[in-house]
Amino acid sequence: MKSNEIRKTFLKFFSDNDHTVVSSSSLLPEKDPTLLFVNAGMVQFKNLFLDIEKRDYVRATTCQKCVRAGGKHNDLDNVGKTLRHHTFFEMLGNFSFGDYFKDDAIAYAWKLLKDVFRLDEDRMWITVYKDDDEAALIWKKVGIREDRIVRLGEKDNFWSMGDEGPCGPCSEILYDLGENVGCRQPACAVGCDCDRFLEIWNLVFMEFERSRDGQMTKLPRPSIDTGMGLERIACIMQGKLGNYETDLFSPVLRRLEDISRSVYGENEKTDTAMRVIADHVRGATFVINDGVLPSKEGRGYVLRRILRRALRYGKKIGIEKEFLYDLSGAVVDIMGDVYPDVRNNHPYIVRVIKGEEERFLETLNTGMRVYDEFVKEIKSKGGKAIPGDLIYKLYDTYGFPVDITAEMAAEDSLSMDTAGFEKSLEEQKERSRAGSRIKGEAWAEGHVAALRDDVRNDFVGYKTLEADGVILTMVRDEQVVEQLDEGEEGEVFFDCTPFYAESGGQVEDEGLVDGPSGKAVVINVIKVKQDVFAHKVKVTMGSLKRGDRVHLVVDKEKRKGVSRNHTATHLLHYALRTVLGEHVKQSGSLVEKDRLRFDFTHFQGLADEELHKTEDIVNEKIMESLNVTTEERQREDAIREGATALFEEKYGDTVRVLRIGDFSTELCGGTHVKNTGEIGSFSIVSEGSLAYGVRRIEAVTGKGAVRHKRKLDNIVKHISRLSNTEPDRVLERVEGIIGELNTKSNEIERLKEEIIAHRVEEAVKNAEEKNGAKVVTMYVPDAKADDLRKVTDIIRNRLKSCIAVVGTREETKGMVVAAVSKDLLSTYSAGKIIKKLAEQYGGKGGGGPQIAQGGIPGDKIKAALKSVADILSD
């Protein structure tokens, strides 16, 4: 059975048993700072297990994208070494939210495996938590022999999503791949960490919630969370000995064989490298697809880490060029039908991977040579450890993640001086050390209280800017309250609202609330969930009470301005793809009343001609007065038909598809004009780099574009008056003025150099002599650090054998630079000279033996210079 059929069969089985099929969520957890990535199928249902949120179903089934490459659940170190561990994988699961429990969960699992998948009963084993007599008894009832039920401890049979959150005992179903697999030891049995007994399904009996301090409390409703790795069940169903031989990996490995000219299955070291690469390119492809870019911290660091790890393993099998971007195409060929967005985004994914490969390979070869030279030296001296400063140098200068250095050290039978590395790293603490930290926003307590009350609202703001609604609940200072009085601020939840909540880069609506006993202004609207909006209000008169029926009015002018700019971002997206290429993808935006900001993927700055073409295309589409239409579709259907999904958006199963003419189709929940002509005009204000591979354009539309043009006209007119030049000749005049200034500046520099040369001659004549060395000191007024260094160079060229110490002053601050000629380095050190001067005169500084720099109070500079000879005598 192929993997696509396994997915469908699993989901259909549970759908036929009254489970709602729920699409995979993004790999990036929503409002959960405890997780780096979604690492299990239950993550998107966490609030249901905690009884915080209600949905229209109590049973669900999914095929969830997961990544385990950071934090507590991190399989990265095992990838490639075993046949079953992965950074990216798909988790098939069924869930009960207080509906059924152990009896049904076990019965469903056994029926699917035995009657639908028709697995060999004699090769299956069951594990249960050591104290879970109930689960063991249920397994016996469905027909499992007692000698096939193994009790294990908390490490193996008690599951938790992280350090805190829902958890409970679990029961695992394992499949015996045979005596010729794994460690092949006579004592090998269930519980052995080799590849023989393959865990295929984990049934978690969710009974508890673990708090941050480790306390366990009973969940309001015992629930079921199960997870079956698609890769593992495919391995069994396809009669393979490892996941990498299934149809989920074999095309990737075949392509890798072509690239590397190696053959999978002939050499264990080569096989390990090829497994790592195949796994990591899958993980990178999907992580990038969900909007992550390589960076120095958090999720971006994990992505960079797996890409660089794959590249290093590529070098181990003889690949000396970029190749992962090519290999990602094989991943898309396998997964594109199930996840159509990964196919749509593939040009962008290729550019991100290739860009990271190019940057890393530039330094990888040099770094490997540095490492090899150090290791050779260490071993020649009988050393057993990689010193901390080398680990840091590889990390900081050559971009080696520490775990890569650790792997290389282990291969060379060397340990790591981690304490020394941490000391070297201390000055740059902002760097992520393990990629395990993530900045995130947790659920606000007041929002959790509203979710517990099953508060939901109907958003009618696409059709109207006024509506009547009932106040369902109110929150002040994170506590639910019955009313808000005049002057108080709080969050109000209505059953119906025309107010748009900030999301997808579009700012929130503002407006008024008019109730039977009071009025309020809406100053912010927050999307807690798709159908739960928190309206932050300030009561301006009387009071608002729970249960009041109120009239809600959106600020029309703000909504119009925001809508113009939002539709313009879609036109801009189309224009950029037309001008720059299909790899361009929106990676962020801000849509306000008076301006728009658009972030997009591109790997170099835009030339003026490209900006002009982009601006022209947008304005052409505005002048064509094209209709803007929307319709609701199923997400996967819309994406499969070519609609573009934006990284910053979180989509439900039903999505809103925005169409402009016949050229732009995107998923978008924002508000828009009905016709592009309403935008008026479009003008780009600026373009620049936001991060590697990401550019940012800021622009204005409508009245904002008119104001921007008027501002530029006023600037030109003002310069025209100041320079006594006609407006159309301002550019020529300004260029002339700049040319004159440059000429005069060069002349000033020449004169300064002549003056300094003259002063150097005087300083050399007055130089003292210490042990045969000339000691030259000199004060240089109004100088910069570079100027002082140039002066020391002039002195050393003049005397060849000397010590030069020069200083300057700017208001209260003083600076001093010392330099020592090469022939005197065995006797004197510039760094030590600066250190002594700094200690004596209340400053600080340092440097190398040949040149050093320090700062001391400005009023002590001349005294410090006079004391140099005495310091050299100490």
Side-chain angles (χ1 to χ4, degrees), residues 399-454:
F400 279 47
V402 178
D403 62 304
I404 286 183
T405 306
E407 286 180 1
M408 294 191 296
E411 291 166 3
D412 290 316
S413 301
L414 295 170
S415 62
M416 296 262 288
D417 175 18
T418 53
F421 168 72
E422 295 293 344
K423 184 178 179 181
S424 298
L425 192 62
E426 192 172 344
E427 293 181 357
Q428 297 190 22
K429 287 182 179 179
E430 73 279 3
R431 289 197 175 198
S432 173
R433 291 176 181 167
S436 60
R437 297 178 303 183
I438 184 69
K439 298 175 183 177
E441 180 186 352
W443 294 92
E445 292 181 18
H447 297 168
V448 169
L451 289 170
R452 287 191 192 278
D453 285 345
D454 197 20

Side-chain angles (χ1 to χ4, degrees), residues 624-868:
E624 287 176 17
S625 296
L626 301 165
N627 288 332
V628 179
T629 62
T630 59
E631 64 174 329
E632 288 193 348
R633 297 291 306 276
Q634 288 299 112
R635 178 180 61 183
E636 296 303 327
D637 290 342
I639 294 174
R640 195 170 283 112
E641 291 169 11
T644 302
L646 307 182
F647 292 142
E648 63 195 49
E649 291 269 19
K650 297 288 190 297
Y651 300 105
D653 288 340
T654 302
V655 294
R656 197 161 178 262
V657 181
L658 182 89
R659 299 182 192 277
I660 307 176
D662 59 359
F663 60 88
S664 176
T665 306
E666 297 187 12
L667 306 189
C668 184
T671 65
H672 293 272
V673 298
K674 291 183 173 58
N675 186 285
T676 60
E678 296 175 39
I679 299 172
S681 61
F682 172 87
S683 181
I684 294 175
V685 175
S686 66
E687 186 275 338
S689 173
L690 182 62
Y692 176 72
V694 182
R695 310 294 299 178
R696 169 171 289 176
I697 280 179
E698 297 200 19
V700 287
T701 65
K703 294 178 182 178
V706 173
R707 286 193 295 269
H708 177 64
K709 179 182 181 301
R710 190 168 293 154
K711 178 183 175 182
L712 296 181
D713 287 345
N714 288 337
I715 291 172
V716 172
K717 289 176 182 176
H718 189 60
I719 296 173
S720 172
R721 285 194 297 269
L722 289 175
S723 61
N724 195 26
T725 309
E726 291 297 319
D728 58 355
R729 297 188 62 191
V730 161
L731 178 60
E732 181 184 342
R733 179 63 180 133
V734 169
E735 288 176 342
I737 292 171
I738 292 173
E740 292 172 11
L741 289 174
N742 287 336
T743 300
K744 291 177 180 179
S745 177
N746 292 335
E747 180 64 17
I748 290 170
E749 286 300 314
R750 187 186 64 78
L751 292 172
K752 280 175 63 177
E753 289 175 4
E754 287 184 5
I755 293 169
I756 287 172
H758 177 70
R759 289 179 177 173
V760 165
E761 287 301 321
E762 289 185 2
V764 169
K765 288 178 183 177
N766 296 325
E768 295 187 43
E769 191 167 315
K770 290 286 182 181
N771 300 324
K774 292 284 187 179
V775 181
V776 182
T777 61
M778 180 176 166
Y779 180 80
V780 184
D782 303 320
K784 305 293 183 186
D786 285 343
D787 296 329
L788 297 184
R789 292 191 191 96
K790 288 177 183 176
V791 171
T792 63
D793 289 342
I794 293 171
I795 293 171
R796 283 183 291 171
N797 289 334
R798 173 74 174 76
L799 289 179
K800 304 299 182 187
S801 179
C802 67
I803 298 166
V805 184
V806 297
T808 190
R809 172 181 179 176
E810 183 179 358
E811 296 181 354
T812 60
K813 297 179 181 179
M815 188 191 319
V816 62
V817 172
V820 177
S821 58
K822 289 183 180 180
D823 64 309
L824 299 177
L825 290 178
S826 60
T827 308
Y828 298 104
S829 166
K832 290 180 180 179
I833 295 170
I834 288 295
K835 189 175 180 181
K836 287 182 179 180
L837 283 173
E839 288 174 353
Q840 185 169 328
Y841 292 96
K844 58 182 179 179
Q850 196 163 356
I851 190 161
Q853 178 180 320
I856 59 178
D859 58 356
K860 297 180 180 179
I861 281 289
K862 292 185 178 179
L865 292 172
K866 289 180 181 178
S867 67
V868 171

Side-chain angles (χ1 to χ4, degrees), residues 84 178-189 192-197:
R84 66 186 189 276
E179 296 178 356
N180 293 326
V181 179
C183 65
R184 303 183 186 185
Q185 297 298 313
C188 183
C192 182
D193 199 33
C194 73
D195 283 321
R196 174 177 171 179
F197 293 95

Side-chain angles (χ1 to χ4, degrees), residues 71 103 127 192 308 365 369 418 475 478 481 539 689 824:
D103 286 279
T127 69
C192 182
R308 292 184 172 185
N365 291 332
R369 283 197 298 272
T418 53
V475 172
E478 303 297 344
V481 295
V539 180
S689 173
L824 299 177

Side-chain angles (χ1 to χ4, degrees), residues 335-371:
M335 310 290 278
D337 289 340
V338 181
Y339 301 103
D341 54 327
V342 81
R343 175 169 285 136
N344 292 349
N345 292 334
H346 188 231
Y348 163 70
I349 293 167
V350 164
R351 291 297 295 267
V352 173
I353 293 178
K354 196 168 191 295
E356 184 67 13
E357 288 187 279
E358 289 170 349
R359 296 208 304 165
F360 185 47
L361 288 175
E362 286 176 6
T363 56
L364 180 61
N365 291 332
T366 306
M368 292 288 282
R369 283 197 298 272
V370 169
Y371 172 84

Side-chain angles (χ1 to χ4, degrees), residues 256 259 277 281 284-285 288 294 303-304 306-312 314-315 319-329 349-365 398 603 692:
L256 183 56
I259 294 170
I277 294 166
V281 76
T285 297
I288 295 168
L303 172 58
R304 173 165 286 170
I306 63 176
L307 283 171
R308 292 184 172 185
R309 195 167 186 257
L311 282 169
R312 191 180 81 82
K315 285 187 72 67
I319 305 175
E320 297 292 338
K321 62 180 182 179
E322 303 91 351
F323 71 99
L324 295 175
Y325 75 94
D326 184 346
L327 205 56
S328 72
I349 293 167
V350 164
R351 291 297 295 267
V352 173
I353 293 178
K354 196 168 191 295
E356 184 67 13
E357 288 187 279
E358 289 170 349
R359 296 208 304 165
F360 185 47
L361 288 175
E362 286 176 6
T363 56
L364 180 61
N365 291 332
Y398 301 106
F603 296 83
Y692 176 72

